[in-house]
């Protein structure tokens, strides 16, 4: 059974649609290891998280393809976390928001940065 952090990370890490489709096809052929590698290739997912992402795909879930979709997914999964990140951003603590996100999920630094940047853009549309 996957950890809640790994599941959340899999659901908030963007993976291109083509990579998702290719991973599904590979999994359908019984080539699970290659499917996991395909998911990891462009997404930055770790091994355990990519395995969880593949499991979610085979269960009929889709993964986000953009950071906007990823942020929407995070809002559905953990609204209190997004609220805390919003508070940090509004008080000028971008780095703390990234750190909080990374502590509560297994998202990598780049992914955390992009998610927080997306949240920041939605808070301050120009």
């Amino acid at each position: 059974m996957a950890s809640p952090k790994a599941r959340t990370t899999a659901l908030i890490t963007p993976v291109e649609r083509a990579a998702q489709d290719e991973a599904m096809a590979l999994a359908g052929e019984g080539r699970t290891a290659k499917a996991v590698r395909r998911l990891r290739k462009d997404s930055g997912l770790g091994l355990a998280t990519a395995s969880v992402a593949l499991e979610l795909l085979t269960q009929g879930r889709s993964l986000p393809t953009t950071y906007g979709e990823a942020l929407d997914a995070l809002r559905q999964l953990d609204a209190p976390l997004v609220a805390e990140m919003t508070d940090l951003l509004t008080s000028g603590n971008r780095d703390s928001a990234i750190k909080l996100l990374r502590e509560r999920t297994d998202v990598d630094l780049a992914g955390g940065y992009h998610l927080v940047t997306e949240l920041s853009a939605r808070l301050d549309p120009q």
Side-chain angles (χ1 to χ4, degrees):
M1 175 146 206
S3 76
K5 282 175 83 170
R7 185 176 187 281
T8 298
T9 303
L11 289 168
I12 65 169
T13 302
V15 179
E16 293 178 6
R17 178 68 51 213
Q20 291 183 45
D21 293 343
E22 188 177 333
M24 283 292 297
L26 290 165
E29 297 169 0
R31 300 166 66 191
T32 305
K34 189 161 181 112
V36 168
R37 281 194 303 273
R38 179 61 186 106
L39 289 175
R40 294 185 68 198
K41 183 178 179 184
D42 299 319
S43 66
L45 288 170
L47 181 59
T49 307
S51 296
V52 172
L54 181 61
E55 181 180 322
L56 290 166
L57 285 172
T58 59
Q59 292 172 355
R61 297 288 303 258
S62 67
L63 305 176
T65 58
T66 66
Y67 282 102
E69 290 176 6
L71 181 58
D72 293 340
L74 181 59
R75 282 185 200 276
Q76 291 178 1
L77 293 166
D78 196 344
L81 171 59
V82 176
E84 287 180 60
M85 291 167 48
T86 300
D87 290 344
L88 289 168
L89 282 171
T90 56
S91 62
N93 293 314
R94 176 183 293 250
D95 291 346
S96 295
I98 295 168
K99 182 178 179 184
L100 177 65
L101 176 62
R102 295 191 68 214
E103 287 172 354
R104 300 265 187 93
T105 68
D106 287 330
V107 73
D108 66 359
L109 181 59
Y113 170 81
H114 289 297
L115 279 166
V116 169
T117 299
E118 179 70 26
L119 178 58
S120 180
R122 289 186 185 186
L123 294 175
D124 186 30
Q126 296 187 8

